[in-house]
PDB file of all heavy atoms in Angstrom:
ATOM      1  N   ARG K 642      84.675 119.293  65.836  1.00  0.00           N
ATOM      2  CA  ARG K 642      84.655 120.806  66.254  1.00  0.00           C
ATOM      3  C   ARG K 642      85.187 121.796  65.363  1.00  0.00           C
ATOM      4  O   ARG K 642      84.743 122.851  65.013  1.00  0.00           O
ATOM      5  CB  ARG K 642      85.450 120.733  67.593  1.00  0.00           C
ATOM      6  CG  ARG K 642      85.394 122.114  68.292  1.00  0.00           C
ATOM      7  CD  ARG K 642      86.397 122.054  69.448  1.00  0.00           C
ATOM      8  NE  ARG K 642      87.829 122.056  69.009  1.00  0.00           N
ATOM      9  CZ  ARG K 642      88.897 121.929  69.722  1.00  0.00           C
ATOM     10  NH1 ARG K 642      88.640 121.868  71.076  1.00  0.00           N
ATOM     11  NH2 ARG K 642      90.058 121.914  69.238  1.00  0.00           N
ATOM     12  N   ASP K 643      86.338 121.300  64.689  1.00  0.00           N
ATOM     13  CA  ASP K 643      87.023 122.122  63.843  1.00  0.00           C
ATOM     14  C   ASP K 643      86.879 122.002  62.315  1.00  0.00           C
ATOM     15  O   ASP K 643      87.097 122.961  61.579  1.00  0.00           O
ATOM     16  CB  ASP K 643      88.544 122.245  64.255  1.00  0.00           C
ATOM     17  CG  ASP K 643      88.816 122.630  65.668  1.00  0.00           C
ATOM     18  OD1 ASP K 643      87.931 123.149  66.264  1.00  0.00           O
ATOM     19  OD2 ASP K 643      90.010 122.455  66.101  1.00  0.00           O
ATOM     20  N   LEU K 644      86.775 120.768  61.911  1.00  0.00           N
ATOM     21  CA  LEU K 644      86.598 120.465  60.631  1.00  0.00           C
ATOM     22  C   LEU K 644      85.256 120.348  60.139  1.00  0.00           C
ATOM     23  O   LEU K 644      84.913 120.235  58.881  1.00  0.00           O
ATOM     24  CB  LEU K 644      87.366 119.204  60.271  1.00  0.00           C
ATOM     25  CG  LEU K 644      88.895 119.152  60.692  1.00  0.00           C
ATOM     26  CD1 LEU K 644      89.581 117.876  60.391  1.00  0.00           C
ATOM     27  CD2 LEU K 644      89.602 120.363  60.182  1.00  0.00           C
ATOM     28  N   GLY K 645      84.210 120.291  61.076  1.00  0.00           N
ATOM     29  CA  GLY K 645      82.780 119.970  60.549  1.00  0.00           C
ATOM     30  C   GLY K 645      82.447 118.798  59.895  1.00  0.00           C
ATOM     31  O   GLY K 645      81.457 118.752  59.258  1.00  0.00           O
ATOM     32  N   ASP K 646      83.269 117.811  60.045  1.00  0.00           N
ATOM     33  CA  ASP K 646      83.057 116.458  59.484  1.00  0.00           C
ATOM     34  C   ASP K 646      82.391 115.557  60.396  1.00  0.00           C
ATOM     35  O   ASP K 646      83.027 114.725  61.067  1.00  0.00           O
ATOM     36  CB  ASP K 646      84.373 115.998  58.945  1.00  0.00           C
ATOM     37  CG  ASP K 646      84.267 114.620  58.134  1.00  0.00           C
ATOM     38  OD1 ASP K 646      83.015 114.255  57.963  1.00  0.00           O
ATOM     39  OD2 ASP K 646      85.179 114.119  57.753  1.00  0.00           O
ATOM     40  N   LEU K 647      81.054 115.770  60.649  1.00  0.00           N
ATOM     41  CA  LEU K 647      80.354 114.868  61.622  1.00  0.00           C
ATOM     42  C   LEU K 647      80.240 113.386  61.267  1.00  0.00           C
ATOM     43  O   LEU K 647      80.462 112.465  62.054  1.00  0.00           O
ATOM     44  CB  LEU K 647      78.977 115.431  62.003  1.00  0.00           C
ATOM     45  CG  LEU K 647      78.994 116.708  62.742  1.00  0.00           C
ATOM     46  CD1 LEU K 647      77.513 117.158  62.991  1.00  0.00           C
ATOM     47  CD2 LEU K 647      79.565 116.453  64.211  1.00  0.00           C
ATOM     48  N   PRO K 648      79.909 113.024  59.961  1.00  0.00           N
ATOM     49  CA  PRO K 648      79.965 111.736  59.604  1.00  0.00           C
ATOM     50  C   PRO K 648      81.223 111.015  59.751  1.00  0.00           C
ATOM     51  O   PRO K 648      81.308 109.895  60.197  1.00  0.00           O
ATOM     52  CB  PRO K 648      79.659 111.822  58.152  1.00  0.00           C
ATOM     53  CG  PRO K 648      78.892 113.075  57.872  1.00  0.00           C
ATOM     54  CD  PRO K 648      79.492 113.965  58.871  1.00  0.00           C
ATOM     55  N   GLY K 649      82.419 111.718  59.433  1.00  0.00           N
ATOM     56  CA  GLY K 649      83.751 111.125  59.710  1.00  0.00           C
ATOM     57  C   GLY K 649      84.026 111.019  61.140  1.00  0.00           C
ATOM     58  O   GLY K 649      84.680 109.911  61.538  1.00  0.00           O
ATOM     59  N   ALA K 650      83.666 111.844  62.014  1.00  0.00           N
ATOM     60  CA  ALA K 650      83.713 111.738  63.376  1.00  0.00           C
ATOM     61  C   ALA K 650      82.986 110.571  63.987  1.00  0.00           C
ATOM     62  O   ALA K 650      83.581 109.753  64.793  1.00  0.00           O
ATOM     63  CB  ALA K 650      83.203 113.014  64.114  1.00  0.00           C
ATOM     64  N   VAL K 651      81.773 110.324  63.540  1.00  0.00           N
ATOM     65  CA  VAL K 651      80.921 109.110  63.838  1.00  0.00           C
ATOM     66  C   VAL K 651      81.818 107.870  63.510  1.00  0.00           C
ATOM     67  O   VAL K 651      81.832 106.894  64.375  1.00  0.00           O
ATOM     68  CB  VAL K 651      79.552 109.132  63.239  1.00  0.00           C
ATOM     69  CG1 VAL K 651      78.971 107.790  63.320  1.00  0.00           C
ATOM     70  CG2 VAL K 651      78.677 110.394  63.716  1.00  0.00           C
ATOM     71  N   ALA K 652      82.352 107.890  62.184  1.00  0.00           N
ATOM     72  CA  ALA K 652      83.072 106.779  61.813  1.00  0.00           C
ATOM     73  C   ALA K 652      84.270 106.337  62.690  1.00  0.00           C
ATOM     74  O   ALA K 652      84.636 105.228  63.015  1.00  0.00           O
ATOM     75  CB  ALA K 652      83.537 106.848  60.473  1.00  0.00           C
ATOM     76  N   ARG K 653      84.900 107.434  63.260  1.00  0.00           N
ATOM     77  CA  ARG K 653      86.011 107.319  64.109  1.00  0.00           C
ATOM     78  C   ARG K 653      85.750 106.630  65.449  1.00  0.00           C
ATOM     79  O   ARG K 653      86.252 105.682  66.019  1.00  0.00           O
ATOM     80  CB  ARG K 653      86.825 108.619  64.251  1.00  0.00           C
ATOM     81  CG  ARG K 653      87.700 108.866  63.170  1.00  0.00           C
ATOM     82  CD  ARG K 653      88.664 107.888  62.727  1.00  0.00           C
ATOM     83  NE  ARG K 653      89.531 108.178  61.638  1.00  0.00           N
ATOM     84  CZ  ARG K 653      90.593 107.440  61.164  1.00  0.00           C
ATOM     85  NH1 ARG K 653      90.586 106.203  61.722  1.00  0.00           N
ATOM     86  NH2 ARG K 653      91.161 107.846  60.166  1.00  0.00           N
ATOM     87  N   VAL K 654      84.686 107.353  66.066  1.00  0.00           N
ATOM     88  CA  VAL K 654      84.249 106.738  67.403  1.00  0.00           C
ATOM     89  C   VAL K 654      83.685 105.358  67.223  1.00  0.00           C
ATOM     90  O   VAL K 654      83.674 104.509  68.281  1.00  0.00           O
ATOM     91  CB  VAL K 654      83.210 107.679  68.101  1.00  0.00           C
ATOM     92  CG1 VAL K 654      83.949 108.960  68.467  1.00  0.00           C
ATOM     93  CG2 VAL K 654      82.057 107.819  67.307  1.00  0.00           C
ATOM     94  N   ARG K 655      83.182 104.962  66.122  1.00  0.00           N
ATOM     95  CA  ARG K 655      82.685 103.606  65.955  1.00  0.00           C
ATOM     96  C   ARG K 655      83.788 102.550  65.940  1.00  0.00           C
ATOM     97  O   ARG K 655      83.625 101.369  66.293  1.00  0.00           O
ATOM     98  CB  ARG K 655      82.037 103.443  64.564  1.00  0.00           C
ATOM     99  CG  ARG K 655      80.698 104.072  64.543  1.00  0.00           C
ATOM    100  CD  ARG K 655      79.726 103.296  65.396  1.00  0.00           C
ATOM    101  NE  ARG K 655      79.431 101.995  64.905  1.00  0.00           N
ATOM    102  CZ  ARG K 655      78.978 100.966  65.633  1.00  0.00           C
ATOM    103  NH1 ARG K 655      78.892 101.107  66.964  1.00  0.00           N
ATOM    104  NH2 ARG K 655      78.795  99.677  65.134  1.00  0.00           N
ATOM    105  N   GLN K 656      85.178 103.032  65.675  1.00  0.00           N
ATOM    106  CA  GLN K 656      86.278 102.158  65.762  1.00  0.00           C
ATOM    107  C   GLN K 656      86.806 101.879  67.118  1.00  0.00           C
ATOM    108  O   GLN K 656      87.570 100.991  67.454  1.00  0.00           O
ATOM    109  CB  GLN K 656      87.465 102.920  65.030  1.00  0.00           C
ATOM    110  CG  GLN K 656      87.091 102.824  63.527  1.00  0.00           C
ATOM    111  CD  GLN K 656      88.346 103.445  62.814  1.00  0.00           C
ATOM    112  OE1 GLN K 656      88.339 104.652  62.422  1.00  0.00           O
ATOM    113  NE2 GLN K 656      89.314 102.779  62.607  1.00  0.00           N
ATOM    114  N   VAL K 657      86.306 102.687  68.133  1.00  0.00           N
ATOM    115  CA  VAL K 657      86.739 102.464  69.467  1.00  0.00           C
ATOM    116  C   VAL K 657      86.267 101.069  70.000  1.00  0.00           C
ATOM    117  O   VAL K 657      85.158 100.739  69.927  1.00  0.00           O
ATOM    118  CB  VAL K 657      86.187 103.443  70.523  1.00  0.00           C
ATOM    119  CG1 VAL K 657      86.584 103.150  71.879  1.00  0.00           C
ATOM    120  CG2 VAL K 657      86.712 104.931  70.057  1.00  0.00           C
TER     121      VAL K 657
END
Side-chain angles (χ1 to χ4, degrees):
R642 186 188 69 186
D643 295 350
L644 305 181
D646 184 5
L647 288 179
V651 169
R653 284 301 182 183
V654 293
R655 287 289 295 151
Q656 291 178 261
V657 174

